[in-house]
Amino acid sequence: MTHGAGGRAMAQLIEAIFQPALANDFLGQGNDQAVMPLPRSGRLAMSTDGYVVSPLFFPGGDIGSLAVHGTINDIAMSGAVPLYLSVSLIIEEGFPLADLDRIAQSMGAASRAAGVPVVTGDTKVVERGKADGLFISTAGVGVVPPGLVLSGDRARPGDRVVLSGSIGDHGIAILSSRENLEFETAILSDSVALHDLVAAMVAAAGPHLRLMRDPTRGGVAATLNEIAHQSGVGIVIEEGTIPVKSQVIAACDLLGIDPLTVANEGKLIAVVDPAGAGSLLAAMRAHPLGGEAALIGTVVEDDRHFVQMRTAFGGGRIVDWLAGEQLPRIC
Amino acid sequence: MRRKDRAVTREAIRLRGRVQGVGMRPFVFGLAERLGLVGFVRNDAEGVAIEVEGTAVEAFAAALRAEAPPLARIDALERRPLRSRGGDGFVIAPSGEGGRAATSIPADAATCDACLDDLFDPASRFYLYPFVTCTHCGPRFTITRAVPYDRSNTAMDGFALCPECDRAYRDPRDRRFHAEPIACPVCGPRLSHPVAEIVAALSAGRIVAVKGIGGFHLMCDALNEQSVAELRRRKAREAKPFAVMIANAVSLDRFAVPEAAHRDLIATPARPIVLMPLRPNILAPSVAPNLSRVGFLLPYAPLHHLIFHELAGRPQDRAWRNRALSVALVATSANPGGEPLAVEDDDARRRLAGIADLIVTHDRPILVRADDSVMAVAAAKPVFLRRARGFVPDPIDLGADGPCVLGVGAHLKATVTLTRGREAFVSQHIGDLDTVETVRFYHETVAHLSRVLDVTPDLIACDGHSDYGSTRYAEAFDRPLLRVQHHAAHLAAIAAEHQHRGPLLGVALDGHGRGDDGGNWGGEMMIVAGATWRRIGHLRPLALLGGDRAAREPWRMAVAALYALGRLDAVPALFPEIPLAAALAARVVAAPTTTSLGRLFDAASALLGLRTHQDYEGQAAMELEALVTAPRRLEGGFVLTGDTLDFTPLLAALAAPGIDCRAGAELFHGTLIAGLAAWIAGAASRQEMDCVALGGGCLMNCVLADGLAAALQERGLKPLLARAVPCNDGGLSLGQAAMARAWAAGSDS
Ligand SMILES: [Fe+3]
Ligand SMILES: [Mg+2]
Ligand SMILES: [Zn+2]
Ligand SMILES: [Zn+2]
């Protein structure tokens, strides 16, 4: 690609790629902003996130679909119905147009499948070396139905913790493509938009729901620790209740990592008061994205906000919130 | 000519050290009476203050040291002449007030001979009483919640003294004068079950939980394979060795092949578990599978003696205590896998219900938990593997004053160290900070130690690893924080206990520590000086495949070794039963590396076909050590390139097909010793230093410690080993604290 001198030519090319891929009425207005009707009731939810992932294309997805799903999910975790997205791309000069096209198509497909349009966008091309291929930043807005209040500080002792499905798929898909790990059946990223599952959950157990979180970076371990600290409680999860695919376990064994710390992009954790746990679980299991939903633990009183895993043996192993790379601790 | 001691003189004598709660005042009182001296003795914040007057002051001063009570340790005896002022009689004066307490609680001590005489004397009011004690023995640290060490601050505060005990408590001529835990069958604690019932259960092959001094033991017949195997099954502890309690020191030879140093150590009042060579084919094989050394201990609570008395058939004579008995009991801490020792009765009943057939408790609470200490003999002298009951809270003299600091220890085998004045107080072994119970115990320990020492730290030091539980704890403090590289702390601990001033050359032979460069270190040569450290050499790195998994699965290190040898093709044949091996071999190029000697042991074990997976930490290395009779050196088995020590040729020999594993283990140890000695000697001459600290968990291996120390001595060097605290991560908090004190000194100037 040699559009170095012709910034204008480059901009046109990019527009020619993204406009049709993401096409919708709002984007088609061609203005510097999108103008949309106000929802009649409820409260507005808004979220923004940056996506840097290597490799850009991985089994089960790519950075484009990931950027759409990630922001939809962050909005949905408030119980909101996601309405609109925006996207901003930072592209390194020399980035292959074919790859850009694949990513644009993937974003469009993800957005259409989710029914959440990208209503405004921007692209910038930066000099070689100023960006690692491509960065995507998305923002979104949605509407929380009246009366529904989900927040990370609402977990109370006695509440139940529910997980929507098997963990570690995304992180292991990324790692195995990055490190050339080969498995008999490929592990695909679980990247998916969860707002439809959330809608089913709200319908089934709305008033009983305390909070929802998607366990992305840092995995289930980080998310549970965040909840414990934000709510000032402890959480006890039961070993053996957490669904993990056998290939994911094998990959984690190989790499020496704990599946609880591996990222997910299509799973959620919900905390629900015990009275709503049954109906919530039933609704989740009836949904295609929650077939493996499981009750994984209980919120407890704990002044030190420990998250612990109760083993079959009765002991309480601390589920840690690791600072960074998983350095050994056995001396 | 008049003899000097015929003249009447008066002196003030000050005793410092472990001089309170050990029977010092009644001893001083008795001595003064015997020598016809007048004056007084009293406890105060600095120790014991004495004034004596008479014609035998010189003899008195000499006898203070020579005849001091068994638990006393006089660190300083200062004398000052006074003008004589006469007086009649010698008195024990009320304790002096004022100043911050510089004394501490004594450590727990085994039942003394005089109390054993009472215990088995039908005429004594303490006959067969499981809580007999006096000023020379019994529980101390584990029953004390606060200072001063008075009965009201101990677990005995709920037991009102009966008239006879009260009289003994107040009589300076009685062995139980001010013995805080004093009790008798009339007024004291009671056992939940008759000894006969406990022994009947043990004899029938049952597993019995017994409340002891610092926690509960699980006991069973160590000669009954079925019982020991059942205990392993119920405890879900596959192979980690159990400690064995035997009746007395003369019975030792029935089960072990002790050296004189082992014999001395096992009989000390601290009563540690002592690792020593096992006499083969006597104990049940499941006691210590595949090991040649087993930990033995002697009874230290009256109940233990009563159990052996009953097992011996209730002999009526006194001599039975010195007769060899062929009975032996497994005595392992009653802690369900990884959790701290159970100490509370309800907790024990709940947690041990599925493990013990009988749970024996009593109504004297354990206020502070303390595991049995574990020791061994290395380079002819005692070393710690775990320091707890019997030693804590005895301080370690740092040789110089300094600020109060806290060293928070490592993540595994955690201890904490608090300093006060010139003394370092290393906590009892706490455990691995992986469970909520252990982390709570860790918090309690810091609080309890701060309380009984009456100090709060000005500075904190932690490890350089940010995911250690202890580091998290340190970060939550609002105090200046020094992060000390793991191996620098191992070496600083040795410098601290030996009071080494100035730069010190050392090698840390260890499992894993986070390096200053973020890497995985564990075979490091360093110079530590004050609060600084410099790495000047290391072992040649091997691939580290799968982080902590590599420490649990030695086969991974064998793959790394084969990669280093260019022999990855040998992997599938060596580990046909491990499907992951081929996959791991495929990514070894991209793996991070480690300089760890511990992982080199793992590689050797797996290459020799001894062990692919470990059931407990250090198993592969311990089993490898167990095969060694005489270490042998492989010519050309190591290469010294600059500051890097490379054992690749040795690994090649171990990977050779058909090598006998005994021969391999001896070659491995012999060549390690030779290589390390050459490496160290080279550096010592370049640095012009002759003292070398040897630290890190690998030195728990006695073949390595003995051999390396001897090899260095042959070369005219002076090896310094960890003697006062464990060489493993249990000693790390001391090194951190020492570094923090040097840091404070440096930032002051
Ligand atoms: Fe270490
Ligand atoms: Mg996010
Ligand atoms: Zn005694
Ligand atoms: Zn009494």
Side-chain angles (χ1 to χ4, degrees), chain B residues 116-134:
Chain B
L116 288 180
D117 287 345
D118 291 343
L119 183 63
F120 295 112
D121 175 5
S124 165
R125 68 191 184 96
F126 300 103
Y127 182 55
L128 303 183
Y129 180 56
F131 302 92
V132 60
T133 176
C134 75

Side-chain angles (χ1 to χ4, degrees), chain A residues 297-316:
Chain A
T298 309
V299 177
V300 297
E301 220 164 304
D302 184 343
D303 54 345
R304 296 199 190 275
H305 315 154
F306 282 121
V307 176
Q308 48 177 315
M309 164 107 87
R310 192 129 54 204
T311 61
F313 205 57

Side-chain angles (χ1 to χ4, degrees), chain A residues 179 181 253-256 302-304 306 308 313-318 320-323 327-331, chain B residues 339 411-412 434-436 439-440 443 465 467 472 510-512 514 520 546 548-549 556 584 587 617 729:
Chain A
E179 307 217 6
L181 296 182
D253 279 351
L254 185 66
L255 300 167
D302 184 343
D303 54 345
R304 296 199 190 275
F306 282 121
Q308 48 177 315
F313 205 57
R317 178 174 76 80
I318 293 174
D320 233 331
W321 198 346
L322 298 177
L327 268 190
R329 293 192 294 193
I330 296 179
C331 176
Chain B
E339 290 179 25
H411 185 76
L412 303 183
D434 284 325
T435 67
V436 171
V439 172
R440 287 191 196 283
H443 288 268
H465 195 310
D467 283 328
R472 304 270 176 84
D510 206 27
H512 179 272
R514 184 182 187 277
N520 305 293
D548 271 342
R549 287 292 173 111
R556 291 169 182 261
L584 204 71
R587 66 178 299 274
E617 200 196 328
D729 284 5

